[in-house]
Amino acid sequence: MRNTSAAALTGPVSVVLDALSANATLFNLTGVTSCAAPAGSAYVHVNVGADGLLTPGESATIVLEFVNPTNTGITYATRVVAGAGCR
């Protein structure tokens, strides 16, 4: 993930997987959304370092591990949630 904006993202930063296909489960999730719609979407926290910021141009690596018993294609949509608000 790379911050292409002109402003820093203030942590914590999470990547939310919306509309994850029914044939797969995110294995290494941090949690599921409860107050950020849609509820029940899996998310993972992004390690933004000790300063708690993802500054303009800075990158962070995200690893997504899935359980997929059917071994078929996986689809999902992503969005980034930043700040200390609810997930």
Side-chain angles (χ1 to χ4, degrees), residues 28-50:
N28 66 327
L29 71 138
T30 303
V32 294
T33 56
S34 59
C35 59
S41 293
Y43 67 88
V44 293
H45 282 309
V46 179
N47 182 2
V48 294

Side-chain angles (χ1 to χ4, degrees), residues 49-78:
D51 64 358
L53 300 172
L54 192 62
T55 58
E58 187 176 11
S59 296
T61 300
I62 304 163
V63 176
L64 303 175
E65 297 178 61
F66 296 95
V67 175
N68 182 4
T70 62
N71 202 29
T72 56
I74 298 171
T75 58
Y76 55 89
T78 59

Side-chain angles (χ1 to χ4, degrees), residues 16 18 33-41 79 81 86-87:
V16 179
D18 293 319
T33 56
S34 59
C35 59
S41 293
R79 63 186 157 109
V81 178
C86 180
R87 299 287 183 264

